[in-house]
């Protein structure tokens, strides 16, 4: 298909099919033959030539077509011999005839596929009513609306308007489109119609609008769901929202509301129709955002101890530039607090006139009075978040000025200061909920036996490193490199309660003697060494204690460390240079958006539970944590700007998209699309990418758009989003500049599917990504601790663990088989499967009668009379899926109880563990191994029990979807009672992806 040919209507598709084109026909022996395919002028038959067959046999009657499938969705196209020879988007299949035979085709491009698929689907569903060309005679809903817009602009009622007005009109209706692009289109059309001049008539305006403002990828999408192929009716829109966008509880009223909000034509709004322009507006709107709206407000449990949260933390927030010559300014604190930062560092020095000052750079001309900083904090502390703010004091000033600091804080912050002494009876810090609207001071505290107005404390925190970096003369440094001493006033000491700064010695000393209200600070280098050498111990330490990580002293340019390196070990406060944009700040900013931007994010449960096994450096899936698959389709880009530093280039960019996953090392990955050559501002990529995510709760997805033909700067745009905030379905990604500001009207159009994922208002999408023949099923098992009594308890769980795996994987395999036979991907939901089967039956004359008996708890799919082979396989796969689901639902509770009993029996040994280890004589590495095995077993048992419980809920949900779809598509009977009560609606953890089990029959 020529690149400049716009397919923006079904008429254009059918016109293209009438001309015909060459495609490859794939046979069952995996051989491909080039053939010329064409639609007959009477639009009754699809023919191909040359062919060894009689010309009357080398054709398909349109009315015999049951379904048109896009991608490699039949056994012939899925065969190993062909699978890698052409991309998925270039393949499609036509299922036809009473025996559901398939004609499998490979086109030269996705555009050609889309034109044939759209045209064929139109003729199949609409063509039997009329075989006249679509749009013949009466104007379409869209054409009428565009004409009415023209009439309003035709102030003189002359039937013509100035080109400049026409340009402004189209630009107003499509923000982001360049005036030069619109002007060029008018010139082209005027030249083609031999009507040059400074004015345009209505027909030319309509033509220009349709060519400029129709995005083919959205038009093709609309046609897939449209009953008449020109607009979406209420039923069409409901199916799109439920099936593709994963929305639940969709009603006709909701759809009317969406149409009323986005459909531009009055006729469409009145009749409940949404044409291409309204559909495009809806997909671009915030109502269709890729960011799950549930996460725009606080949505996590805020009643856990403070140490169970990541806390948004700033380092040197007063600096405007680098750490060396950067000037200090109060606006840095304002900006950080307004973006939800909950931990600020204040480096306080002796100032002139006895007034303490705050600065972190070497510039002496921009030091900010401490009292001014405190006043700003008082004003903005709780503007963006009600949750506690932690002020980290790095005190470099003398006791007299420290007393002034204390007075200013008491006077300005008053009741906001949290001054209650910690309760020694407690074991953990209070929760963010309990500490709402409170300011905690992190700093040094005088020892209890010091009763003077001031005393000595050690000074080992980042303030000492800061002094060295700024070249301060450290005369008090003791010989031999011991810890420096600092004079501390009692008034300042008394303001420190829950965040007392102490020196970290080692993990064993912390286990034995550190109090829960004591906080250690680690340099980036020291924390990095722990994260690499003993990540399990660092995770264990952070379950109970707060840790603050500050940047290395060598980062004098104020560059940022990667916060993920420390989040993966549970470190709560990773201090970032907010003034320095780039990848690391993108990750930090995105991460803290997932809980309403409140500055606190709950850590994964596997990193919080008292007994759990987690290694941040795991190379594969984690025990008890379900791995998930992210299927991303990068479809197109809109209004992409030129890279900022590429002034020497022409107007055209040649973009490509990188999708990056940041998380634990096992999840970090990057895939890129091909480059869209000479594509202007609106490139089409149409490329599918896939990622396995082993710890979804810690993963972040980043889209980066880059220019492949750049001079100077290649960066075009980015957008970063936590994995947990992704909404599935067709979404536009709102692109941002390197500094994080939104780029007006610049977006990526993508499709997101997540398999083995539940909840959050999304569709329930599960399944395997691939099935590659017979596999040996892998069972999760417990590990020996070397302590006989404990090992005997865990051994009782061996059989229930196998049963739990079998129950889940049997259902999973049956689901995948059923979906494949329906011509759908594993990411499809059950409603899509039932609607697909119903569509086959509705498009057939004299079709076999297939009904769903909705009067039963487990609905049977029953056929009357002879049925073709494919449909028989579908019914068999459906029956297998229902039977395995029934076994799971009816057996899950008993197996779950056995797993939980074993887990609780194991936990009963937890407090006795050290005594039992000593009795068995375990020391050193053997002791460490026993502790790890014990934690592993507890994690595995709880994880597998939870997964089984979730699998049961998923199976019940599938039954609900079958019932719902059976009623809505008309193949259900005895369906008066809905199984709604059995549908579990509580938020659930995801189900893990597995690849075990014997291969089930596929079509």
């Amino acid at each position: 298909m020529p690149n400049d040919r716009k397919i923006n209507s079904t008429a254009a598709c059918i016109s293209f099919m009438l001309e015909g084109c060459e495609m490859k026909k794939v046979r069952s022996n995996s051989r491909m033959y080039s053939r010329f395919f064409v639609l007959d002028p009477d639009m009754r038959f699809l023919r191909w030539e040359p062919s060894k067959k009689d010309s009357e046999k080398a054709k398909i009657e349109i009315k015999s077509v049951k379904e048109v499938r896009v991608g490699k969705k039949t056994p012939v196209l899925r065969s190993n011999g062909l699978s890698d020879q052409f991309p998925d988007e270039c393949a499609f299949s036509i299922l036809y005839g009473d025996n559901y035979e398939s004609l499998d085709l490979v086109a030269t491009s996705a555009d050609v596929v889309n034109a044939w698929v759209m045209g064929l689907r139109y003729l199949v569903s609409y063509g039997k009513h009329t075989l006249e060309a679509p749009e013949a005679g009466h104007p379409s809903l869209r054409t009428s609306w565009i004409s009415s817009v023209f009439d309003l602009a035709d102030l003189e009622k002359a039937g013509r308007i100035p080109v400049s007005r026409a340009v402004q009109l189209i630009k107003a209706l499509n923000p982001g489109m360049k005036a030069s692009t619109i002007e060029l289109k008018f010139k082209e059309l005027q030249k083609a119609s031999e009507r040059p001049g400074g004015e345009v008539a209505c027909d030319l305006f309509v033509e220009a609008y349709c060519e400029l403002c129709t995005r083919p990828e959205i038009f093709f999408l609309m046609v897939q769901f449209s009953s008449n192929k020109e607009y979406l009716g209420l039923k069409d829109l409901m199916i799109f929202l439920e099936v593709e966008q994963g929305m639940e509880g969709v009603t006709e009223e909701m759809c009317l509301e969406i149409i009323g909000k986005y459909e531009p034509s009055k006729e469409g709004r009145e009749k409940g129709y949404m044409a291409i322009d309204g559909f495009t507006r809806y997909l671009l709107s915030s109502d269709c955002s890729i960011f799950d709206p549930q996460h725009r407000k606080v949505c996590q449990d805020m009643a856990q101890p403070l140490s169970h949260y990541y806390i948004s933390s700033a380092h040197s927030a007063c600096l405007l530039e680098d750490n060396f010559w950067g000037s200090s300014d109060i606006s840095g604190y304002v900006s950080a607090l307004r973006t939800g930062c909950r931990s600020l560092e204040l480096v306080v020095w002796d100032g002139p006139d006895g007034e303490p000052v705050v600065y972190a750079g070497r510039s002496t001309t921009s030091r900010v009075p401490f009292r001014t900083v405190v006043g700003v904090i008082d004003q903005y502390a709780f503007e963006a978040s009600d949750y506690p703010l932690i002020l980290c004091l790095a005190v470099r000033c003398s006791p007299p000025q420290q007393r002034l600091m204390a007075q200013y804080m008491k006077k300005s912050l008053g009741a906001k200061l949290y001054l209650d002494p910690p309760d020694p009876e407690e074991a953990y810090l209070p929760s963010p909920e309990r500490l709402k609207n409170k300011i905690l001071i992190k700093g040094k505290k005088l020892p209890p036996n010091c009763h003077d107005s001031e005393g000595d404390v050690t000074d080992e925190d980042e303030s000492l490193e800061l002094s060295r970096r700024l070249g301060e003369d450290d005369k008090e440094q003791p010989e031999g490199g011991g810890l420096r001493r600092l004079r501390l006033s009692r008034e300042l000491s008394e303001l420190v309660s829950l965040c007392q700064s102490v020196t970290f010695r080692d993990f064993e000393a912390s286990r034995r003697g550190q109090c829960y209200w004591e906080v250690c600070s680690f340099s980036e280098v020291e924390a990095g060494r722990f994260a690499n050498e003993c990540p399990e111990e660092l995770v264990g330490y952070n379950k109970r204690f707060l840790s603050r990580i500050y940047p290395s002293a060598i980062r004098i340019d104020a560059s940022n460390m990667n916060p993920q390196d420390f989040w993966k070990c549970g470190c709560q406060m990773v201090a970032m240079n907010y003034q320095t944009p780039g990848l690391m700040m993108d990750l930090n900013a995105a991460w803290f958006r997932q809980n309403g931007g409140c500055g606190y994010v709950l850590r994964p449960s596997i990193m919080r539970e008292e007994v759990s096994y987690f290694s941040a450096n795991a190379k594969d899936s984690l025990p008890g944590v379900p791995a998930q698959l992210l299927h991303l389709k990068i479809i197109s880009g809109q209004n992409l700007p030129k890279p900022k530093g590429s002034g020497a280039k022409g107007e055209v960019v040649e973009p490509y998209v990188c999708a990056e996953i940041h998380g634990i090392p096992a999840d970090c990955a990057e895939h890129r699309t091909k480059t869209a050559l000479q594509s202007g501002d609106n490139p089409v990529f149409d490329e599918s990418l896939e990622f396995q995510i082993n710890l979804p709760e810690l993963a972040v997805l980043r889209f980066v758009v880059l220019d492949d033909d750049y001079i100077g700067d290649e960066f075009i745009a980015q957008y970063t989003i936590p994995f947990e905030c992704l909404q599935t379905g067709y979404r536009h990604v709102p692109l941002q500049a390197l500094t994080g500001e939104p780029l007006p009207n610049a977006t990526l159009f993508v499709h997101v599917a997540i398999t083995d994922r539940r909840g959050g208002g999304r569709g329930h999408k599960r399944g395997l990504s691939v099935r590659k023949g017979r596999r040996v099923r892998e069972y999760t098992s417990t590990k020996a601790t070397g302590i006989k009594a404990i090992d005997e308890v865990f051994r009782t769980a061996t059989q229930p663990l196998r049963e739990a795996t079998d129950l889940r994987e049997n259902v999973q395999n049956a689901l995948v088989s059923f979906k494949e036979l329906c011509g759908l991907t594993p990411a499809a939901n059950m409603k899509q499967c039932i609607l697909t089967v119903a569509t086959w039956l509705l498009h057939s004359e004299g079709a076999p009668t297939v009904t769903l008996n909705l009067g039963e708890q487990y609905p049977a799919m029953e056929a009357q009379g002879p049925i073709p082979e494919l449909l028989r396989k579908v019914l068999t796969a459906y029956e297998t899926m229902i039977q395995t689901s029934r076994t799971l639902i009816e057996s899950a509770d008993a197996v779950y109880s056995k797993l939980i009993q074993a887990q609780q029996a194991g936990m009963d040994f937890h407090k006795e563990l050290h005594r039992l280890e000593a009795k068995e004589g375990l020391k050193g590495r053997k002791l460490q191994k026993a502790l790890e095995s014990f934690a592993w077993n507890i994690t595995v048992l709880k994880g597998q029990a939870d997964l089984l419980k979730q699998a049961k809920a998923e199976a019940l949900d599938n039954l609900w979807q079958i019932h719902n779809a059976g009623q809505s598509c008309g193949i259900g009977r005895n369906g008066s009672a809905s199984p709604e009560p059995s549908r579990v609606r509580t938020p659930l953890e995801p189900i893990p992806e597995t690849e075990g089990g014997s291969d089930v029959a596929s079509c």
Side-chain angles (χ1 to χ4, degrees):
M1 182 183 292
N3 285 335
D4 59 353
R5 179 163 189 163
K6 273 270 182 150
I7 296 291
N8 53 28
S9 69
T10 45
C13 291
I14 288 175
S15 171
F16 177 70
M17 292 161 67
L18 288 166
E19 291 173 24
C21 72
E22 195 170 280
M23 292 187 282
K24 288 188 170 69
K25 181 172 179 277
V26 186
R27 294 187 58 178
S28 54
N29 61 6
S30 295
R31 298 188 65 178
M32 295 195 283
Y33 303 86
S34 285
R35 297 285 181 262
F36 188 82
F37 289 82
V38 66
L39 179 67
D40 267 5
D42 64 2
M43 294 185 277
R44 291 181 185 277
F45 290 94
L46 167 65
R47 297 182 184 273
W48 58 93
E49 56 186 28
S51 172
K52 291 177 183 175
K53 292 180 181 177
D54 181 314
S55 63
E56 283 305 299
K57 290 185 179 175
K59 66 178 184 181
I60 292 174
E61 190 174 9
I62 298 297
K63 71 177 184 182
S64 74
V65 173
K66 301 290 190 290
E67 184 190 358
V68 185
R69 294 182 181 177
V70 184
K72 303 169 194 172
K73 304 269 179 60
T74 62
V76 170
L77 292 178
R78 276 200 300 260
S79 66
N80 292 331
L82 288 170
S83 179
D84 301 326
Q85 291 186 30
F86 48 86
D88 194 63
E89 56 269 17
C90 287
F92 71 106
S93 302
I94 302 167
L95 271 64
Y96 65 97
D98 292 340
N99 291 320
Y100 291 77
E101 297 170 67
S102 73
L103 174 63
D104 299 293
L105 302 171
V106 178
T108 51
S109 73
D111 286 342
V112 174
V113 171
N114 286 333
W116 278 95
V117 169
M118 186 193 294
L120 285 167
R121 284 176 174 168
Y122 173 85
L123 292 171
V124 168
S125 64
Y126 195 60
K128 57 187 167 203
H129 304 300
T130 170
L131 284 172
E132 294 173 22
E135 295 184 7
H138 144 296
S140 71
L141 188 71
R142 186 187 201 199
T143 309
S144 301
W145 167 68
I146 301 169
S147 301
S148 70
V149 170
F150 178 89
D151 291 342
L152 285 172
D154 182 10
L155 304 174
E156 298 79 18
K157 302 303 172 197
R160 306 175 71 80
I161 62 172
V163 171
S164 58
R165 193 183 303 166
V167 169
Q168 288 308 114
L169 199 53
I170 290 180
K171 190 165 168 48
L173 290 167
N174 289 270
M177 189 174 285
K178 290 179 182 171
S180 58
T181 306
I182 306 170
E183 286 164 7
L184 187 62
K185 178 55 68 179
F186 277 123
K187 281 180 185 171
E188 282 175 16
L189 294 176
Q190 284 178 323
K191 186 177 180 183
S193 61
E194 298 181 350
R195 287 187 285 173
E199 294 185 319
V200 292
C202 185
D203 62 332
L204 205 101
F205 179 80
V206 171
E207 190 178 352
Y209 183 92
C210 287
E211 289 206 18
L212 286 166
C213 307
T214 306
R215 285 173 47 191
E217 70 274 27
I218 291 183
F219 194 80
F220 294 139
L221 178 61
M222 185 190 81
V223 168
Q224 284 180 46
F225 289 89
S226 165
S227 303
N228 67 11
K229 309 306 170 203
E230 292 302 323
Y231 54 79
L232 297 169
L234 286 179
K235 276 270 166 63
D236 302 330
L237 184 56
M238 282 178 75
I239 290 172
F240 172 74
L241 296 177
E242 288 182 338
V243 165
E244 276 302 337
Q245 304 300 85
M247 287 174 65
E248 294 183 349
V250 182
T251 61
E252 287 198 0
E253 289 70 29
M254 285 169 64
C255 294
L256 275 171
E257 199 176 308
I258 290 170
I259 290 169
K261 191 172 178 182
Y262 296 107
E263 172 55 39
S265 72
K266 186 181 177 186
E267 184 189 354
R269 292 194 298 272
E270 288 173 352
K271 292 183 175 177
Y273 298 156
M274 181 181 265
I276 180 65
D277 300 287
F279 192 45
T280 304
R281 288 181 180 188
Y282 172 61
L283 288 173
L284 277 164
S285 73
S286 58
D287 285 351
C288 228
S289 167
I290 192 171
F291 190 93
D292 189 336
Q294 290 189 74
H295 290 270
R296 296 193 194 285
K297 56 185 185 297
V298 175
C299 56
Q300 296 178 341
D301 176 8
M302 300 304 289
Q304 301 275 332
L306 207 61
S307 59
H308 287 184
Y309 297 84
Y310 298 110
I311 303 170
S312 180
S313 305
H315 177 256
S316 304
C318 60
L319 284 183
L320 297 184
E321 298 161 54
D322 62 50
N323 284 331
F324 201 68
W325 297 112
S327 57
S328 301
D329 189 274
I330 208 73
S331 63
Y333 291 114
V334 176
S335 172
L337 289 169
R338 281 184 158 166
T339 56
C341 177
R342 296 288 83 195
S343 170
L344 290 176
E345 176 194 51
L346 303 182
V347 186
V348 192
W349 307 79
D350 277 333
D353 306 321
E355 286 286 330
V357 292
V358 173
Y359 65 93
R362 206 163 186 179
S363 168
T364 56
T365 58
S366 58
R367 301 183 174 187
V368 185
F370 179 76
R371 79 164 119 194
T372 307
V373 174
V374 172
V376 164
I377 289 169
D378 176 48
Q379 186 178 351
Y380 294 99
F382 302 106
E383 183 178 294
S385 171
D386 292 337
Y387 292 102
L389 173 66
I390 301 171
L391 299 183
C392 303
L393 298 183
V395 179
R396 316 303 306 145
C397 57
S398 58
Q401 294 204 12
Q402 290 173 27
R403 292 186 189 102
L404 276 177
M405 284 172 62
Q407 287 170 26
Y408 293 146
M409 284 193 281
K410 283 179 187 173
K411 185 177 178 183
S412 288
L413 306 179
K416 293 175 187 163
L417 284 172
Y418 186 88
L419 302 175
D420 297 352
D423 183 353
E425 298 299 311
E426 296 285 333
Y428 287 92
L429 287 163
S431 68
E433 191 62 39
R434 269 183 61 193
L435 296 169
K436 260 187 171 180
N437 297 302
K438 289 295 181 184
I439 295 175
L440 311 180
I441 306 298
K442 173 188 173 291
K444 287 289 175 181
K445 198 165 178 67
L446 292 172
N449 57 3
C450 175
H451 303 292
D452 299 333
S453 61
E454 59 187 64
D456 282 351
V457 291
T458 58
D459 179 27
E460 74 292 341
D461 276 359
E462 59 260 50
S463 56
L464 180 57
E465 195 154 333
L466 182 75
S467 292
R468 291 171 182 157
R469 185 173 70 214
L470 298 180
E472 298 288 330
D473 185 19
D474 194 2
K475 294 172 184 173
E476 296 175 56
Q477 179 67 33
E479 289 182 22
L483 291 173
R484 169 182 153 159
R485 308 296 290 177
L486 174 79
R487 292 296 285 178
L488 181 67
S489 75
R490 173 164 296 284
E491 288 92 331
L492 195 57
S493 170
E494 286 173 348
L495 297 186
V496 177
S497 169
L498 292 179
C499 295
Q500 181 180 338
S501 295
V502 296
T503 307
F504 179 79
R505 291 182 175 80
D506 57 57
F507 291 114
E508 187 53 40
S510 294
R511 265 195 297 271
R512 285 198 313 268
Q514 188 171 337
C515 300
Y516 70 82
W517 61 83
E518 294 177 331
V519 181
C520 292
S521 291
F522 302 86
S523 75
E524 173 190 351
V525 175
E526 183 183 22
R529 182 164 49 82
F530 292 146
N532 289 323
E533 294 174 7
C534 45
E536 295 88 352
E537 289 191 87
L538 188 51
V539 170
Y541 173 85
N542 286 319
K543 286 179 183 179
R544 192 154 169 241
F545 308 114
L546 282 179
S547 60
R548 183 174 190 271
I549 316 300
Y550 56 90
S552 162
I554 62 173
R555 292 186 184 274
I556 58 171
D557 60 349
S559 61
N560 275 307
M561 54 192 161
N562 186 343
Q564 286 273 6
D565 290 343
F566 307 103
W567 291 339
K568 71 180 184 184
C569 293
C571 300
Q572 298 88 350
M573 297 188 285
V574 183
M576 305 292 285
N577 289 305
Y578 274 50
Q579 73 274 26
T580 308
L583 165 62
M584 304 313 171
M585 266 313 291
D586 289 344
L587 293 174
N588 193 75
W591 185 248
F592 286 104
R593 275 198 289 269
Q594 68 182 290
N595 192 25
C598 75
Y600 285 81
V601 168
L602 189 63
R603 297 185 315 176
S605 57
I606 199 169
M607 298 167 73
R608 304 192 313 264
E609 288 159 354
E610 189 180 0
V611 179
S612 63
Y613 179 85
F614 173 70
S615 172
N617 294 334
K619 297 289 187 285
D620 207 340
S621 55
L622 304 162
V625 177
Q628 295 176 13
L629 276 175
L630 172 63
H631 310 262
L632 261 187
K633 187 169 190 181
I634 313 289
I635 302 168
S636 60
Q638 293 72 47
N639 306 310
L640 300 181
K642 285 170 58 181
K644 273 197 171 176
S646 61
K649 278 196 60 174
E651 283 300 307
V652 179
V653 294
E654 295 190 344
Y656 63 96
V657 180
C658 273
E660 306 166 351
I661 295 290
H662 299 265
I664 62 170
D667 291 343
C668 291
E670 176 184 315
H671 295 313
R672 60 158 284 178
T673 67
K674 59 182 178 291
T675 301
L677 299 170
Q678 298 296 313
S679 59
D681 307 328
N682 301 292
V684 173
F685 302 102
D686 211 19
E687 201 154 341
S688 298
L689 313 172
E690 189 175 287
F691 299 90
Q692 177 166 317
I693 317 288
N694 295 293
L695 186 56
E697 290 173 279
L698 211 58
V700 176
L701 170 63
R702 187 169 189 256
F703 297 93
V704 192
V705 188
L706 301 165
D707 186 4
D708 214 4
D709 181 31
Y710 66 95
I711 297 171
D713 187 10
E714 64 178 337
F715 179 88
I716 296 174
Q718 64 85 24
Y719 181 74
T720 312
I721 178 171
F723 182 82
E724 293 290 294
C725 298
L726 282 173
Q727 289 215 97
T728 56
Y730 287 92
R731 308 286 172 184
H732 279 90
V733 177
L735 295 173
Q736 299 175 345
L738 191 63
T739 47
E741 290 101 14
L743 292 168
N745 308 305
T747 55
L748 284 179
F749 187 43
V750 301
H751 182 264
V752 180
I754 299 166
T755 52
D756 295 332
R757 166 70 173 265
R758 283 195 56 85
R762 307 167 181 82
H764 304 295
K765 302 191 172 185
R766 287 176 31 83
L768 302 176
S769 60
V770 285
R771 291 165 55 248
K772 299 178 181 174
R774 192 175 295 274
R775 291 179 183 272
V776 176
R777 180 163 291 178
E778 291 181 11
Y779 294 97
T780 306
S781 57
T782 55
K783 295 181 178 179
T785 63
I787 302 168
K788 190 177 177 183
I790 294 177
D791 287 340
E792 281 176 3
V793 165
F794 287 134
R795 211 169 287 123
T796 64
T798 303
Q799 189 56 33
L801 281 171
R802 291 180 69 89
E803 289 174 17
T805 301
D806 286 338
L807 288 169
R808 287 190 296 106
E809 292 200 13
N810 289 346
V811 172
Q812 182 133 319
N813 286 337
L815 277 167
V816 172
S817 179
F818 179 55
K819 289 174 185 180
E820 282 189 351
L821 284 162
C822 291
L824 297 168
T825 66
N829 58 36
M830 190 52 59
K831 186 171 279 189
Q832 284 171 298
C833 297
I834 302 302
L835 292 176
T836 298
V837 174
T839 304
W840 295 349
L841 302 168
L842 294 172
H843 287 169
S844 305
E845 293 177 4
T849 304
V850 176
T851 56
L852 272 170
N853 187 353
L854 301 180
E856 301 175 1
Q857 185 183 357
Y858 301 97
M861 194 180 281
E862 300 158 352
Q864 292 175 356
I867 57 171
E869 180 65 13
L870 175 61
L871 203 50
R872 188 187 62 74
K873 285 183 176 179
V874 169
L875 295 183
T876 303
Y878 175 84
E879 180 62 23
T880 304
M881 185 265 296
I882 287 291
Q883 289 308 321
T884 54
S885 298
R886 179 175 189 162
T887 306
L888 167 66
I889 290 165
E890 294 177 355
S891 309
D893 290 351
V895 178
Y896 175 85
S897 295
K898 290 176 187 173
L899 291 173
I900 290 299
Q901 282 169 12
Q903 187 245 355
Q904 289 172 345
M907 281 300 289
D908 289 342
F909 285 104
H910 180 231
K911 289 185 176 156
E912 295 287 301
L913 209 51
H914 285 284
R915 184 182 64 77
L916 292 169
E917 287 156 359
K919 187 179 174 184
E920 294 284 341
L922 297 176
K923 292 180 183 174
R925 183 66 196 132
K926 283 188 177 178
L927 173 60
Q928 188 61 34
K929 190 77 180 163
L931 291 171
E932 281 180 14
S933 295
F934 182 82
W936 166 279
N937 294 344
I938 294 295
T939 305
V940 160
L941 290 172
K942 184 178 185 304
Q944 293 297 312
D946 286 348
L947 295 180
L948 184 59
K949 184 179 178 182
Q950 293 145 22
K952 178 184 173 181
E954 180 96 9
L956 288 168
D957 190 77
N958 279 335
L959 294 181
W960 183 89
Q961 288 192 48
I962 291 168
H963 192 283
N964 188 278
Q967 284 186 322
S968 65
C969 69
I971 65 168
R973 63 181 177 84
N974 304 330
S976 53
S978 166
E980 187 74 41
S982 67
R983 191 175 194 208
V984 178
R985 302 307 321 138
T986 52
L988 293 167
E989 295 286 330
I991 295 176
E993 164 131 347
T994 54
E995 292 188 329
S998 59
D999 197 25
V1000 282
S1002 67
C1003 133

